[in-house]
Amino acid sequence: MSPSTYATREPIANDILSSANAKYKNRDYLGALTAYTAAIRVDPNNALAICCRGVAYYRLGNERDAMTDYNQAISLDPKLAIAYYRRGFLQYLAQDYQSAIVDYNKSIELKPDFALAYSNRGYAYRDLYGEQEALLDWRFAAKLFKEQGNITKYQSTMRSIECIYDDASCASGML
């Protein structure tokens, strides 16, 4: 492939990705899936596009293909923190807490201010070892959410922390 051909592919892939992201944002997950797949056809080594397609697969209830995409994205770009986070989320849902923790650890190693990774690792710790094990991660996640201006996630994380100290039972879920 000539350098000019490659130079033309990248803007086309970026345009398709922008369209895919807009569809995803509007909850048109099937449209987003189609657009991400088109972007991947143009640039088959775009790990972020593959990871995003995995999220669309997940939203459409296809966890198997989502996991395949996350694995492929990690294979193409071992430094893509979001791919480890997303794979960890699927492993958490499958109750494979150890593997989820390993992936959350990797996403945090690659992106130390990744508040969601700390928060979700806290849930995996909670389910594997108990609530006290989750506290450190949840406190740090709350601090990061607040610093990053994500007040909704900050408040939600603080509620999870408060539940540990309340006598009443609190239902909590992944952030």
Side-chain angles (χ1 to χ4, degrees), residues 81 143 151:
K143 175 185 176 293
I151 301 307

Side-chain angles (χ1 to χ4, degrees), residues 50-134:
I50 293 166
C51 183
C52 289
R53 184 177 69 179
V55 178
Y57 274 128
Y58 167 74
R59 292 291 185 175
L60 291 167
N62 187 341
E63 293 179 8
R64 183 181 53 82
D65 285 344
M67 183 64 83
T68 298
D69 275 359
Y70 300 149
N71 288 333
Q72 184 180 2
I74 289 167
S75 176
L76 288 170
D77 184 356
K79 294 184 178 184
L80 187 60
I82 190 70
Y84 291 97
Y85 168 81
R86 294 288 181 192
R87 187 172 73 178
F89 181 76
L90 284 184
Q91 291 166 332
Y92 177 87
L93 293 177
Q95 298 180 350
D96 183 356
Y97 305 126
Q98 289 285 4
S99 295
I101 289 167
V102 167
D103 276 345
Y104 290 140
N105 286 345
K106 186 64 176 179
S107 64
I108 290 166
E109 174 189 320
L110 294 168
K111 190 173 187 242
D113 65 343
F114 199 164
L116 280 172
Y118 284 100
S119 177
N120 285 4
R121 186 177 69 178
Y123 285 103
Y125 280 150
R126 178 200 64 191
D127 292 347
L128 194 59
Y129 304 115
E131 289 176 330
Q132 293 301 316
E133 298 300 322

Side-chain angles (χ1 to χ4, degrees), residues 135 152 170:
L135 278 176
T152 302
C170 289

